[in-house]
Amino acid sequence: MPPTPTLEYRDFHRWRRPAEVAFWVGLAILNTVFNSMVAQIDHARVAAWEPWVWEWTSSLVILVLVPAILAAERRWPFRFDTWRTSLPWHLLATVPFSLVHVTGMVALRVLAYRLAGIRYDFGRWEPGFGYEYLKDFRTYFIIIALISLSRLWLVRWQGEARLLAAPDEGPPVEPVERPERFLVRKLGREFLVNAREIEWLQAAGNYVNLRVRGRDYPLRSTMAAIEERLDPTRFVRVHRSYVANLDFLAEIEPLDTGDARLKLRDGAIIPCSRRYRAQLRERFGEAAAV
């Protein structure tokens, strides 16, 4: 019996962007249809199309603002270890979010009503905005919660690496300053990865992605901090955001700009800046770097 095909993280990662767009669009459509039906029941005395205009204009503006919320969450990550620092910034962010949302949806409603030959009246701005702000406050943090939950799920699926900690009692089994292995947690399981199996490392904000056998495992560290703890005879900085394992380096392709492209054994390509290409030349000789 042939094995049942499973979806791997690397397969999903290739379609991650369109999948995320489809998720937010689909969520907006479902939520808008539901809210429109409820609003139509609650406002039975108005024209049947009006509640739908109210809800769709609101949802369209919120959908346009989702990338801005994603950017804010990347700037101030909302996690267990950072939420106290991030929360004040997100509380402040709800104000411009609501202002843009209310202004945009009112403008769209004015246009829609004008096309219908009637005038749209939002009412007094002060109580109207206060009412909308309370709803926008809830919406903003629902989106933040969805982003945080999706990140947690992706990290569990992808796997996350960390350094082995020194034991509470007795000497460590290996030098903590120069780790030979990393502990990787994935889908509730833990396994060890030899440092020499890391093909390259890439800086990604507050994380460094470890590339191991075609998979990326984020390690919460800076590139400078982790570089100091790697074997300098095996790992070398080739770019401000990349460190390569020379055991996996197959080819160096010089570029006209003075930079280079490094091809690894699995066919992956990583950049090499002019500054670090010169260091490679000094270390391995002119023949190895050109």
Side-chain angles (χ1 to χ4, degrees):
M1 182 177 179
T4 303
T6 58
L7 178 64
E8 295 285 344
Y9 176 83
R10 59 183 174 182
D11 299 324
F12 166 77
H13 188 71
R14 290 181 296 184
W15 300 96
R16 180 174 177 176
R17 182 57 60 84
E20 290 177 345
V21 172
F23 169 78
W24 291 112
V25 172
L27 181 63
I29 291 175
L30 289 175
N31 184 65
T32 305
V33 170
F34 176 80
N35 288 343
S36 298
M37 295 173 65
V38 173
Q40 191 173 23
I41 295 173
D42 291 340
H43 300 84
R45 295 184 178 182
V46 302
W49 57 269
E50 291 187 70
W52 291 81
V53 169
W54 302 340
E55 297 300 331
W56 278 103
T57 52
S58 175
S59 294
L60 284 174
V61 178
I62 289 176
L63 193 59
V64 171
L65 288 172
V66 166
I69 302 177
L70 290 169
E73 204 282 334
R74 285 194 298 268
R75 177 63 179 83
W76 302 292
F78 207 80
R79 297 189 294 264
F80 291 112
D81 57 338
T82 63
W83 72 269
R84 291 180 178 85
T85 304
S86 302
L87 181 59
W89 294 105
H90 287 294
L91 289 173
L92 289 174
T94 60
V95 177
F97 168 77
S98 186
L99 284 172
V100 175
H101 172 231
V102 173
T103 303
M105 76 176 188
V106 169
L108 290 176
R109 291 176 186 179
V110 169
L111 177 61
Y113 274 68
R114 185 173 297 173
L115 292 175
I118 56 178
R119 179 177 176 274
Y120 173 73
D121 182 16
F122 179 69
R124 293 180 56 193
W125 177 260
E126 296 83 359
F129 176 74
Y131 171 75
E132 294 294 339
Y133 174 75
L134 292 176
K135 294 197 301 181
D136 289 341
F137 184 92
R138 179 190 60 188
T139 300
Y140 182 94
F141 279 99
I142 287 176
I143 295 175
I144 290 293
L146 290 173
I147 295 171
S148 300
L149 289 173
S150 67
R151 184 198 298 110
L152 179 62
W153 174 70
L154 287 173
V155 165
R156 284 180 57 83
W157 188 15
Q158 175 187 9
E160 188 172 22
R162 63 182 176 89
L163 295 168
L164 291 177
D168 295 333
E169 298 181 0
V173 296
E174 65 178 46
V176 178
E177 296 79 11
R178 183 65 54 77
E180 298 176 3
R181 290 172 291 273
F182 292 84
L183 184 65
V184 171
R185 180 188 296 272
K186 181 178 180 182
L187 297 178
R189 295 185 300 170
E190 292 183 340
F191 56 95
L192 295 176
V193 170
N194 288 327
R196 66 183 60 187
E197 295 178 1
I198 300 173
E199 300 162 28
W200 80 81
L201 302 91
Q202 179 187 10
N206 296 327
Y207 286 83
V208 175
N209 288 324
L210 310 182
R211 183 75 167 187
V212 182
R213 295 188 293 273
R215 299 177 184 272
D216 291 323
Y217 299 107
L219 170 71
R220 188 166 179 79
S221 175
T222 63
M223 182 65 86
I226 195 63
E227 185 182 9
E228 292 178 354
R229 306 180 69 174
L230 295 173
D231 184 356
T233 64
R234 177 172 284 112
F235 293 92
V236 58
R237 177 73 74 98
V238 296
H239 187 273
R240 65 179 182 177
S241 300
Y242 288 87
V243 168
N245 185 341
L246 298 176
D247 293 342
F248 292 89
L249 183 60
E251 181 181 339
I252 301 175
E253 179 186 354
L255 302 176
D256 294 338
T257 59
D259 299 333
R261 280 195 292 259
L262 305 183
K263 185 175 181 180
L264 285 86
R265 293 179 183 176
D266 64 352
I269 302 293
I270 62 175
C272 178
S273 64
R274 180 185 309 177
R275 169 189 173 189
Y276 296 106
R277 180 188 168 198
Q279 292 180 2
L280 282 175
R281 182 182 295 112
E282 294 174 0
R283 181 169 176 178
F284 297 102
E286 187 74 18
V290 177

